[in-house]
Amino acid sequence: MATSEYLTANVYSFQGVIFNVLNDPFPGRSRPANVNVVHIPGGNVNYFQLGGKGPKQLVYQVYLDAELGFTYYVQLEDLLGTQGTLVAPDGASLTAILMSFERGDWLRDRVDQGSREMTARATFSIVETS
Amino acid sequence: MTDIVQVPYLQVLRNGTPIPDVYSVSTSHGYSQAIAEAHVRVPHIDAIVPWDVIEIRVGLGADADEAEANAATRFKGLYVQTTRDLYPTALDLVCKGYLVKGQIYRLSSHAGLDLTGSAGDHHGETDQGYIYVLFKLCGLTPDVAIDTSGDIVVAASGDYPALDLKGTGILMGGNQPTDQGYGAHGAFLMRYGETSFDWIQRIDAISLGYRTFDSIDGKIARYLISAIPSGAPDFEFIEGVDIERATLSDTFLDAKDYVAVAGYADGVSESDSAHVHHQHYEARGFNPYFYYGESGTFGVVPVALSITSPMLERSVASDPGQGITCQQVAEWLLAENNVRRLSVPLITPRGDAIKPGDTIRIHSPYMLGLTSHLFWVQDVALQLDETGRFQQTLTGIGVA
């Protein structure tokens, strides 16, 4: 891939498709918790019903640039809803499902260089089996 | 501030073996609906077949261990039906209480079946005895003779559920002459095409308040439930403590101050033998919310309830023979109906194993205007969804 002022060393890959994570070595992490709070009217009584945790999720601001950027974009889009191997810049890998992949708010045609730059938001759910 | 942490425990057993990965469960029991129902949502299940025994165990506690220790059976019955969602893939296993067997099997004999003769003497049975005979017909209990004069308690065994059948203990069906309808004991004949459940409903309707229904532990119960609950409550609910939602309905509009009961026709009139004479009795009461005429004449405008049952063989207790009398039924129904009826659907996050026929006390002096008021639990619905949300919805029935 061509270099860019936005490119960091955060080059990830999912099922072999590489993408950059925009200036964010610590991706957004989230984990939905099923906690129902039942308030009893007329008193200061609350029931916290603990229904367990949802899947761990990683949210990346993806940056794709250079002549192959759009190609990678389409390839990632094709991987939506599939389980695969997510590889971090340090080589660590984990099993994840690409839950969503949406175009970001920024896209630039670099006609002079024959390339496109674009951002996207990718959400992975980590698959844990133990 | 009181914060209570609840962790749910859920186990669903099929023929005694746990079903993995259950999404959610819901159950409903009630003495009005009689036949319990449960739904179990699962992602998949292998080789389930009709009449598999499904048991739902639910517990709540401050942590997982306590929840498991508190787990109790909240439904035990039979798998009868599946509905399957294409996507998101899920199966809804529809299960019914054991009483559903009484609703399915119909009598195939065109001649009918005389139920008074089960002991070979045609002297009749008690009301709970008839229920027991009907259970034998539809495979709900082994075909063995037992003493049916008192309460009938049978432990669960094999495919058969436990029974706890109480009743009036009054012998019925031995009085009727031989020329009525279908044969020797017309009203106590099970007719062609009739189900055991139909028959149970008919006999419960005149059994002075005894009602037959599926209980939450898989037992078939028959208990006395009168309009006016009394005695020590099984559970207490207090506003600001454990009532999440409730709506009180207080109405006299369904009240009756006059009950006319007609029994079987014995073919003899008191005044004219050419006319059929019904056993009968009328009971009257006073209702402070009804208008009795300007002079206050009692009974000028009776609001009547009228029922007829050929199972009632006598008018009053002094009549010869045996059987529940029209007078008993009329006085029971008058006490049931000549009231200002209170009804409270109530939602609670409490996990107690509340069942139909329990008595609850509701103390909500400010929000519902009830001060330590007693109610019957008419029905109970339990829900535990895939997010761990747990609630029980009860309907309390009482009188003002």
Side-chain angles (χ1 to χ4, degrees), chain A residues 36 44-46 48-51, chain B residues 2-4 6 8 240 389-390:
Chain A
N36 297 291
N44 296 320
V45 177
N46 302 295
F48 291 85
Q49 298 180 328
L50 311 187
Chain B
T2 304
D3 289 333
I4 297 159
Q6 286 181 325
R389 173 81 166 100
F390 173 87

Side-chain angles (χ1 to χ4, degrees), chain B residues 66-87:
Chain B
E66 189 179 308
E68 185 171 358
N70 289 341
T73 300
R74 309 303 287 269
F75 174 87
K76 190 172 182 185
L78 304 164
Y79 159 73
V80 294
Q81 180 182 327
T82 298
T83 55
R84 185 187 287 256
D85 291 336
L86 177 79
Y87 186 83

Side-chain angles (χ1 to χ4, degrees), chain B residues 114 176-177 180-191 202 310:
Chain B
D114 181 359
Q176 301 204 17
Q180 297 299 310
Y182 280 82
H185 300 84
F188 294 89
L189 193 81
M190 189 173 183
R191 291 169 175 77
R202 278 205 280 141

Side-chain angles (χ1 to χ4, degrees), chain B residues 265-290:
Chain B
D266 62 9
V268 179
S269 166
E270 288 160 336
S271 58
D272 180 357
S273 61
H275 290 85
V276 173
H277 170 241
H278 283 273
Q279 307 298 318
H280 65 93
Y281 192 85
E282 291 84 38
R284 291 176 180 223
F286 173 77
N287 191 310
Y289 310 109
F290 290 164

Side-chain angles (χ1 to χ4, degrees), chain B residues 215-235:
Chain B
S215 196
I216 60 172
D217 54 2
K219 175 174 63 190
I220 300 179
R222 189 170 191 263
Y223 296 147
L224 178 66
I225 295 166
S226 68
I228 305 165
S230 60
D234 299 288
F235 302 98

Side-chain angles (χ1 to χ4, degrees), chain B residues 214-263:
Chain B
D214 285 311
S215 196
I216 60 172
D217 54 2
K219 175 174 63 190
I220 300 179
R222 189 170 191 263
Y223 296 147
L224 178 66
I225 295 166
S226 68
I228 305 165
S230 60
D234 299 288
F235 302 98
E236 185 171 42
F237 292 92
I238 300 173
E239 72 177 26
V241 176
D242 49 17
I243 304 173
E244 182 184 341
R245 271 183 284 163
T247 304
L248 173 67
S249 160
D250 176 348
T251 180
F252 74 98
L253 289 175
D254 297 326
K256 311 282 189 254
D257 67 342
Y258 179 89
V259 177
V261 175

Side-chain angles (χ1 to χ4, degrees), chain B residues 27-37 99 197 201 211-216 221 225 354-357 377-381 393 395:
Chain B
T27 69
S28 65
H29 294 80
Y31 61 71
S32 296
Q33 74 183 61
I35 300 173
E37 184 164 326
L99 259 181
F197 189 71
Q201 298 288 88
R211 299 166 200 251
T212 309
F213 54 93
D214 285 311
S215 196
I216 60 172
I225 295 166
I354 301 161
K355 57 188 183 300
V377 176
Q378 182 184 52
D379 48 55
V380 184
T393 305
T395 304

